[in-house]
Amino acid sequence: MSGLIEQFGPLWGTMAVLGQILGFVIVLLLSLAFLLLMDRKVWAAVQMRKGPNVVGAFGLLQSFADFLKFVFKEVVIPAGVDRSLYLIAPLITLVLAFITWVVVPVAPGWVIADLNVGLLYLFAMSSLGVYGIIIGGWASNSKYPFLGALRSAAQMVSYEVSIGFIIVTVLLFAGSMNLTTIVEMQAGGFWNWNVLALHTLEDGWPMFIVMIPMAVIFLISALAETNRPPFDLPEAESELVAGYQVEYSSTPYLLFMIGEYLNIVLMCAMISILFFGGWHAPIELDMSNWSYLAVSFWSFFWFAAKVIFFFFIFAMVKALVPRYRYDQLMRLGWKIFLPTSLGAVALVGAYIVYGQG
């Protein structure tokens, strides 16, 4: 962004930066609309239903119809709530979900802020997202959303610890917190992706023994971190009616849902970047004669394809796996994932120090 300001001057450079951010937000929201439709279609297909198929061709405009319905419905604020915090909570969730995308590279050079501490920024911003849920549950002045908020806070904090240690294993391989650097070091083919790390066979013991389980644990932890089934305990209908957002309706409820799905897609993007090569194709082509735009769109295609694939896995898990009990959820996070990820950090660190030659 600073390059645009230096190139076009303070005024037009700032306008160019704002246009870049606005374009990114619009593309992200449009992608979210169709991914939500895909989520509903996959769930319907598993249950042998058609799913949304009325609004637009094949139901393609269903998400936009739902959006308009939420926007034009009356905002009902229950009596007894803390009005300011009640309305601020969904805004906090939405804003934090958006600003985490600032450091996510979707193609070579296609990133809003290429920070050297991108991983640290991402982890910090995603960790703050729990405040919107806690504030929303507490401000509703009802025991059901409050219990749902407490459950969600405990769940998100528990699995953030495992995600943090898994990210450290990737950080040790890359030697950088910059997400663009992490993607670039996986160039050359799928055997260089962090999930396989087959290049370690040349000068050390095979690290895919560690990294494949880390990718699987990251995927499962991402499900728990974003309150997706089978870990949607904060929204367990049979126990808490609907969770922390039970007293919300209309636009505030929509903001909560957009924030939740933005975090889901972010986790799909992070799995792609950290373990599966980001924008790199499984087999690299010779693109020395390609134009910059051709290379960029080819890279973006592969990044989007990987994100869609992992979102499909999220949707299939939602449709197939029964919900966990809360004690099972906590046991999985603290007694299995935490020791496993901590041991992986020790193994990768030992390999980096002693195993390379």
Side-chain angles (χ1 to χ4, degrees), residues 133 148 150-159 163 216-237 239-240 243-244 260 264 313-314 317-334 336-337:
I133 293 173
L150 291 179
R151 276 188 164 195
S152 185
Q155 178 174 327
M156 294 174 72
V157 170
S158 298
Y159 282 85
I163 288 176
V216 174
I217 293 176
F218 189 95
L219 177 64
I220 299 173
S221 298
L223 289 168
E225 174 74 11
T226 55
N227 296 332
R228 288 283 289 186
F231 307 118
D232 57 338
L233 277 304
E235 304 166 11
E237 296 89 349
E239 304 165 29
L240 299 174
Y244 60 89
E260 181 175 321
I264 293 168
I313 292 179
F314 273 52
V317 170
K318 176 181 179 180
L320 297 176
V321 183
R323 180 181 289 126
Y324 272 44
R325 294 198 317 267
Y326 201 75
D327 61 309
Q328 293 174 329
L329 175 72
M330 290 293 105
R331 185 186 307 117
L332 182 67
W334 289 107
I336 299 177
F337 284 1

Side-chain angles (χ1 to χ4, degrees), residues 1-48:
M1 290 194 298
S2 59
L4 290 175
I5 295 176
E6 293 174 0
Q7 182 177 357
F8 298 107
L11 177 60
W12 294 108
T14 302
M15 296 296 290
V17 169
L18 292 177
Q20 181 188 35
I21 295 173
L22 180 62
F24 191 87
V25 168
I26 291 173
V27 172
L28 192 57
L29 287 176
L30 290 175
S31 303
L32 197 65
F34 291 107
L35 286 172
L36 178 57
L37 176 65
M38 172 186 167
D39 190 24
R40 299 171 69 176
K41 284 285 192 180
V42 169
W43 204 0
V46 171
Q47 298 176 348
M48 299 181 69

Side-chain angles (χ1 to χ4, degrees), residues 37-336:
L37 176 65
M38 172 186 167
D39 190 24
R40 299 171 69 176
K41 284 285 192 180
V42 169
W43 204 0
V46 171
Q47 298 176 348
M48 299 181 69
R49 297 185 290 109
K50 290 185 178 180
N53 64 340
V54 176
V55 184
F58 308 105
L60 290 175
L61 299 180
Q62 182 65 55
S63 297
F64 300 97
D66 293 338
F67 173 79
L68 293 176
K69 178 187 72 174
F70 279 114
V71 168
F72 288 109
K73 281 181 66 176
E74 179 185 3
V75 179
V76 178
I77 301 179
V81 305
D82 189 320
R83 288 180 64 93
S84 57
L85 291 178
Y86 178 86
L87 296 174
I88 288 174
L91 289 174
I92 292 175
T93 300
L94 180 72
V95 170
L96 289 174
F98 266 117
I99 63 177
T100 51
W101 281 88
V102 167
V103 295
V104 177
V106 299
W110 288 21
V111 57
I112 295 176
D114 194 19
L115 300 180
N116 289 330
V117 290
L119 270 179
L120 188 61
Y121 169 88
L122 190 70
F123 197 65
M125 292 299 104
S126 61
S127 300
L128 290 175
V130 71
Y131 285 103
I133 293 173
I134 293 176
I135 292 172
W138 182 83
S140 296
N141 195 27
S142 172
K143 59 179 177 295
Y144 291 111
F146 185 60
L147 287 172
L150 291 179
R151 276 188 164 195
S152 185
Q155 178 174 327
M156 294 174 72
V157 170
S158 298
Y159 282 85
E160 277 174 2
V161 179
S162 300
I163 288 176
F165 282 125
I166 295 168
I167 290 175
V168 170
T169 62
V170 176
L171 189 152
L172 290 172
F173 264 120
S176 173
M177 291 187 181
N178 187 292
L179 290 174
T180 301
T181 303
I182 291 174
V183 175
E184 289 175 345
M185 58 97 52
Q186 300 178 73
F190 68 89
W191 50 88
N192 289 321
W193 293 355
N194 285 331
V195 68
L196 295 179
L198 295 181
H199 59 279
T200 59
L201 292 172
E202 300 175 0
D203 53 3
W205 59 287
M207 288 304 298
F208 65 82
I209 298 174
V210 175
M211 299 308 291
I212 291 178
M214 289 300 100
V216 174
I217 293 176
F218 189 95
L219 177 64
I220 299 173
S221 298
L223 289 168
E225 174 74 11
T226 55
N227 296 332
R228 288 283 289 186
F231 307 118
D232 57 338
L233 277 304
E235 304 166 11
E237 296 89 349
S238 60
E239 304 165 29
L240 299 174
V241 183
Y244 60 89
Q245 77 278 33
V246 67
E247 299 290 351
Y248 282 87
S249 63
S250 186
T251 307
Y253 176 81
L254 174 66
L255 298 183
F256 268 129
M257 290 300 99
I258 292 177
E260 181 175 321
Y261 270 90
L262 279 174
N263 288 328
I264 293 168
V265 181
L266 176 68
M267 285 298 174
C268 296
M270 291 309 300
I271 296 171
S272 304
I273 290 171
L274 295 175
F275 293 100
F276 291 89
W279 64 71
H280 292 295
I283 304 296
E284 294 286 349
L285 302 178
D286 182 12
M287 295 183 287
S288 57
N289 297 324
W290 292 26
S291 65
Y292 172 77
L293 280 179
V295 173
S296 298
F297 279 108
W298 176 252
S299 302
F300 177 75
F301 165 78
W302 279 106
F303 177 81
K306 293 174 185 178
V307 171
I308 292 171
F309 172 75
F310 287 113
F311 191 88
F312 173 76
I313 292 179
F314 273 52
M316 289 298 294
V317 170
K318 176 181 179 180
L320 297 176
V321 183
R323 180 181 289 126
Y324 272 44
R325 294 198 317 267
Y326 201 75
D327 61 309
Q328 293 174 329
L329 175 72
M330 290 293 105
R331 185 186 307 117
L332 182 67
W334 289 107
K335 292 188 176 182
I336 299 177

